[in-house]
Amino acid sequence: MPGLLLGDEAPNFEAETTQGRIRFHDFLGDSWGILFSHPRDFTPVCTTELGRAAKLAPEFRKRNVKMIALSIDSVQDHLSWSKDINAYNGEQPKEELPFPIIADANRELAVKLGMLDPDEQDKDGMPLTARVVFIFGPDKKLKLSILYPATTGRNFDEILRVVDSLQLTAYKKVATPVDWKPGDSVMVAPTLPDEEAKKLFPKGVFTKDLPSGKKYLRYTPQPE
Ligand code: BEZ
């Protein structure tokens, strides 16, 4: 079955993009990476998404995350569409965006990565790309995937929030609870014994009493 599962290594594909030909692993280098797909150029929801992604590019850069988009049209179409995206953002209608867009006109990558949405088709009855987000760690392994249908735009603030959670939990023995935001308390990883948790989190570990008597809700202030 095509597609990527958590822990899979990013395929080292070659592709034409709006910033030249790339080999994916070289593009990622030692950084984190986000690959996000779009159904088609010159479509309304995609235009708003790419506009938002462009505005948030400095935030991704701050977090050492390289951004790359994919849509099933040509480089020329992508460049022309980029002018609309910049204009939508209230900027000069230039062809440059702060990230490349992969030209996957023959859908080769979209098929390989399991990105097609069978419910949304072009005029020839060919499926369009769904709204996939893949986030890769510096080890090039898939850390998170999100899959939305073509008709539902994503929330890029949420994507930044999950990057913050992924990066925190990659380096500290914690997990982030529901609706967590940077700066909120975090949960001590369930696998960490109490004694070790006390040593590892000098700001304190706070346990919430529960009817079961089990002490598994262990909070600690977000570690530095
Ligand atoms: C859009 O980007 O607006 C869109 C694309 C394909 C299907 C539905 C909406």
Side-chain angles (χ1 to χ4, degrees), residues 76-93:
Q76 203 44 53
D77 281 339
H78 289 350
L79 291 172
S80 174
W81 182 37
S82 299
K83 291 191 202 168
D84 288 359
I85 294 163
N86 281 310
Y88 164 78
N89 272 353
E91 285 159 21
Q92 285 299 318

Side-chain angles (χ1 to χ4, degrees), residues 36-40 46 49 70 72 110 114-118 120 127-133 146-152 154:
F36 46 107
S37 64
H38 296 272
R40 197 103 234 202
C46 299
E49 284 194 325
L70 178 152
I72 52 175
M115 289 173 161
L116 294 180
D117 179 348
E120 294 295 335
L128 298 178
T129 342
R131 300 183 193 282
V132 175
V133 176
I146 296 175
L147 173 56
Y148 280 25
T151 42
T152 301
R154 287 157 287 195

Side-chain angles (χ1 to χ4, degrees), residues 7-215:
D8 285 354
E9 185 171 55
N12 193 16
F13 58 81
E14 276 191 59
E16 292 300 338
T17 82
T18 49
Q19 296 179 6
R21 194 162 182 83
I22 60 149
R23 202 168 238 295
F24 195 48
H25 284 193
D26 296 339
F27 170 80
L28 288 173
D30 296 328
S31 301
W32 289 71
I34 174 170
L35 166 60
F36 46 107
S37 64
H38 296 272
R40 197 103 234 202
D41 294 5
F42 305 105
T43 51
V45 177
C46 299
T47 303
T48 62
E49 284 194 325
L50 279 195
R52 184 75 183 130
K55 285 219 156 136
L56 287 176
E59 291 298 320
F60 284 96
R61 203 171 305 124
K62 232 191 267 174
R63 291 161 173 80
N64 190 30
V65 181
K66 292 199 82 176
M67 308 170 79
I68 189 163
L70 178 152
S71 181
I72 52 175
D73 290 289
S74 65
V75 166
Q76 203 44 53
D77 281 339
H78 289 350
L79 291 172
S80 174
W81 182 37
S82 299
K83 291 191 202 168
D84 288 359
I85 294 163
N86 281 310
Y88 164 78
N89 272 353
E91 285 159 21
Q92 285 299 318
K94 54 182 174 25
E95 289 184 340
E96 292 83 43
L97 286 171
F99 46 79
I101 309 177
I102 295 170
D104 190 32
N106 60 10
R107 294 171 170 74
E108 202 178 300
L109 259 181
V111 169
K112 185 173 178 165
L113 298 175
M115 289 173 161
L116 294 180
D117 179 348
D119 283 346
E120 294 295 335
Q121 295 173 357
D122 66 13
K123 58 181 176 16
D124 302 318
M126 294 291 284
L128 298 178
T129 342
R131 300 183 193 282
V132 175
V133 176
F134 288 139
I135 299 181
F136 299 101
D139 59 359
K140 302 185 176 52
K141 302 268 173 69
L142 184 68
K143 305 299 178 193
L144 176 132
S145 73
I146 296 175
L147 173 56
Y148 280 25
T151 42
T152 301
R154 287 157 287 195
N155 180 328
F156 275 72
D157 290 318
E158 166 62 4
I159 295 172
L160 268 185
R161 190 192 73 90
V162 297
V163 166
D164 285 333
S165 171
L166 290 171
Q167 294 187 336
L168 177 67
T169 59
Y171 305 120
K172 307 283 175 186
K173 292 194 165 153
V174 297
T176 60
V178 62
D179 297 339
W180 174 86
K181 299 180 299 314
D184 288 353
S185 289
V186 297
M187 319 296 305
V188 175
T191 47
L192 195 68
D194 282 339
E195 281 316 304
E196 269 184 62
K198 267 190 223 152
K199 279 190 232 143
L200 214 54
F201 304 114
K203 290 181 190 166
V205 175
F206 309 94
T207 306
K208 187 169 169 55
D209 289 334
L210 294 167
S212 66
K214 297 181 197 292
K215 309 257 180 227

